[in-house]
């Protein structure tokens, strides 16, 4: 199996690997396990890795990249595509350049490929326990935060900038003042959360979508087996001699999105890469597009049931309406 193919990054003329490896394990694992999984993924053909300051996986990822380069598994840093994210406690104009430098230090890199605003909100204190106190959660001052994100790109600290968990409305606001438009919006996207409105909006504006939880976060606290246990997807998989997970990933790929399924298991991470030499029929896609919609990860489940977060969630949900 070769290296994962690339797909266009909006209208930028650049590309992004169609599949990358997510690095959030639930329950959390130690750094050695993450590093070993990344090295295994590099051997399998993964070149895009998705991390975030909040995941604690930047350091082991950085170590795995350094080791892969020193072992000659990958010839040059440029062959990797590394995404990391600005955590909400640093989502203020004057903290962002230091935040990306901290991530670069963790990753032992001198540039990142894609730096994303992790969530459309700011936290005024470290998240030590949940629920997070209501008064610690603030709206994002998107204009000043984006100005600093642009500075990160202009300084060469990152090749691209983007957002995560942004609605159409938030993107429209951002586009109204951005000097550098967001290259990526990383959101939940899978057969059970299809994001039709968001996909159409992003296509029109040249914003690439990267899908997180493309397998419905099977087996994690924020996900379940609604995808791998879905009868409709199982039947399609059986008819094609594929796994249900592969059918889900293939559906995401056919929507023009890239994706970052997480697997730290050698066989499953290879299985997840093997989706490029077959396709879904029109009838199969039609059946998938009829599945009931249900979002996995929510802001209120992460931070607590606060009104402000419920408002954001309601806005995000509108983007997945059929
Ligand atoms: N921007 C954001 O707000 C968010 C970003 N993310 C990013 O997206 C990545 C992926 O999303 P995530 O939520 O982890 O969920 P995924 O949909 O990628 O599911 C991961 C789970 O599915 C299991 N799995 C992987 N492959 C298979 C397979 N072929 N068959 C059956 N089970 C499988 C994994 O277990 P195993 O390892 O044992 O194979 C793991 O438990 C994250 O790791 C993170 O990097 C995630 C959530 C939010
Ligand atoms: O501390 C909070 C967590 O990092 C949470 O925000 C993330 O894990 C998020 O769900 C993601 O995976 O991107």
């Amino acid at each position: 199996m070769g290296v994962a193919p690339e797909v266009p990054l909006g209208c930028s003329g650049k590309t992004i690997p169609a599949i990358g490896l997510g690095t959030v394990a639930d329950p959390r694992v130690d750094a050695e396990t993450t590093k070993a999984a990344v090295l295994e993924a590099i051997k399998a053909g993964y070149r895009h890795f998705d991390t975030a300051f909040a995941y604690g996986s930047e350091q082991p990822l950085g170590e795995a990249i350094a080791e892969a380069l020193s072992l000659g598994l990958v010839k040059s840093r440029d062959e990797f595509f590394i995404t990391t994210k600005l955590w909400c406690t640093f989502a203020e104009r004057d903290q962002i350049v230091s935040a990306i430098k901290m991530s670069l230090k963790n990753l032992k890199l001198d540039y990142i490929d894609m730096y994303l605003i992790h969530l459309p909100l700011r936290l005024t204190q470290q998240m030590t326990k949940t629920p997070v106190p209501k008064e610690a959660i603030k709206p994002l001052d998107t204009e000043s935060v984006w100005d600093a994100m642009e500075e990160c790109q202009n300084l060469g600290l990152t090749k691209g900038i983007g957002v995560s968990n942004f609605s159409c409305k938030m993107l429209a606001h951002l586009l109204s003042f951005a000097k550098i438009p967001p290259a990526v919006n990383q959101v939940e996207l899978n057969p059970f959360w299809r994001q039709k409105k968001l996909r159409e909006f992003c296509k029109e504006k040249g914003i690439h979508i990267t899908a997180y939880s493309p397998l419905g976060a099977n087996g994690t606290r924020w996900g379940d087996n609604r995808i791998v246990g879905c009868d409709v997807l199982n039947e399609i998989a059986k008819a094609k001699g594929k796994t249900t997970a592969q059918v889900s990933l293939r559906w995401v790929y056919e929507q023009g999105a890239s994706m970052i399924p997480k697997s730290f298991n050698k066989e499953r991470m290879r299985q997840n890469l093997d989706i490029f030499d077959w396709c879904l029929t029109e009838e199969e896609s039609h059946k998938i597009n009829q599945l009931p919609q249900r979002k996995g990860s929510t802001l209120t489940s992460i931070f607590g049931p606060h009104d402000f977060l419920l408002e954001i969630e309601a806005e995000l949900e509108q983007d997945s309406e059929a």
Side-chain angles (χ1 to χ4, degrees), residues 50 164-165 186 213 215 217-218 222 262-263 268 271-272:
D50 180 77
S164 180
N165 299 297
Q186 184 184 116
S213 305
L215 299 170
N218 178 38
W222 58 93
K262 176 265 170 185
S263 182
R268 286 192 289 276
Q271 179 195 124
N272 294 347

Side-chain angles (χ1 to χ4, degrees), residues 41-288:
I42 292 170
K43 289 180 196 157
Y46 287 81
R47 293 295 178 267
H48 179 190
F49 292 90
D50 180 77
T51 182
F53 180 85
Y55 301 165
S57 58
E58 288 179 330
Q59 283 186 351
L61 170 58
E63 278 168 27
I65 292 169
E67 194 163 314
L69 289 169
S70 77
L71 290 173
L73 296 176
V74 174
K75 286 201 180 59
S76 123
R77 152 69 181 103
D78 301 352
E79 292 177 36
F80 286 108
F81 190 105
I82 306 300
T83 296
T84 192
K85 314 187 192 86
L86 172 78
W87 185 237
C88 312
T89 44
F90 310 119
E92 270 197 288
R93 174 73 188 84
D94 60 354
Q95 293 195 50
I96 293 167
V97 170
S98 341
I100 193 174
K101 285 184 177 166
M102 207 150 50
S103 288
L104 285 166
K105 195 169 166 214
N106 288 340
L107 286 158
K108 299 188 223 319
L109 296 177
D110 51 19
Y111 71 87
I112 283 159
D113 293 277
M114 193 55 63
Y115 195 48
L116 307 179
I117 300 176
H118 200 147
L119 288 166
L121 56 94
R122 177 167 75 87
L123 291 180
T124 59
Q125 52 181 256
Q126 294 299 332
M127 220 174 120
T128 47
K129 59 176 172 40
T130 51
V132 172
K134 184 171 156 229
E135 54 284 3
I137 303 171
K138 302 280 180 206
L140 194 70
D141 179 354
T142 314
E143 193 158 353
S144 67
V145 166
W146 194 251
D147 187 54
M149 295 291 286
E150 291 175 331
E151 187 182 348
C152 293
Q153 180 164 333
N154 291 333
L155 288 170
L157 302 172
T158 183
K159 301 243 186 231
I161 49 176
V163 295
S164 180
N165 299 297
F166 267 45
S167 66
C168 294
K169 199 170 155 196
M170 291 169 196
L171 289 170
H173 174 58
L174 173 52
L175 289 169
S176 70
F177 49 75
K179 293 183 276 305
I180 304 175
V184 165
N185 187 18
Q186 184 184 116
V187 293
E188 181 173 340
L189 176 66
N190 57 50
F192 276 81
W193 196 246
R194 293 187 291 278
Q195 304 269 27
K196 188 163 183 280
K197 192 172 152 208
L198 184 75
R199 281 190 280 119
E200 284 166 4
F201 181 87
C202 286
K203 193 171 178 195
E204 188 195 319
K205 302 293 179 193
I207 301 170
H208 177 77
I209 291 188
T210 297
Y212 73 67
S213 305
L215 299 170
N218 178 38
T220 73
R221 261 168 311 150
W222 58 93
D224 55 34
N225 72 344
R226 66 193 179 287
I227 287 179
V228 297
C230 168
D231 290 343
V232 172
L233 297 177
N234 281 333
E235 264 170 41
I236 296 173
K238 220 185 282 166
K240 302 187 97 64
K242 303 292 170 194
T243 69
T244 311
Q246 287 174 321
V247 168
S248 181
L249 299 178
R250 179 70 205 187
W251 179 87
V252 173
Y253 177 62
E254 291 187 7
Q255 312 316 306
S258 59
M259 69 200 98
I260 43 172
K262 176 265 170 185
S263 182
F264 283 5
N265 170 280
K266 187 175 168 181
E267 279 71 43
R268 286 192 289 276
M269 67 170 74
R270 284 171 186 264
Q271 179 195 124
N272 294 347
L273 270 187
D274 194 9
I275 61 156
F276 298 109
D277 58 357
W278 52 279
C279 53
L280 296 167
T281 63
E282 220 169 281
E283 197 192 336
E284 289 163 344
S285 300
H286 179 73
K287 279 188 190 160
I288 294 176

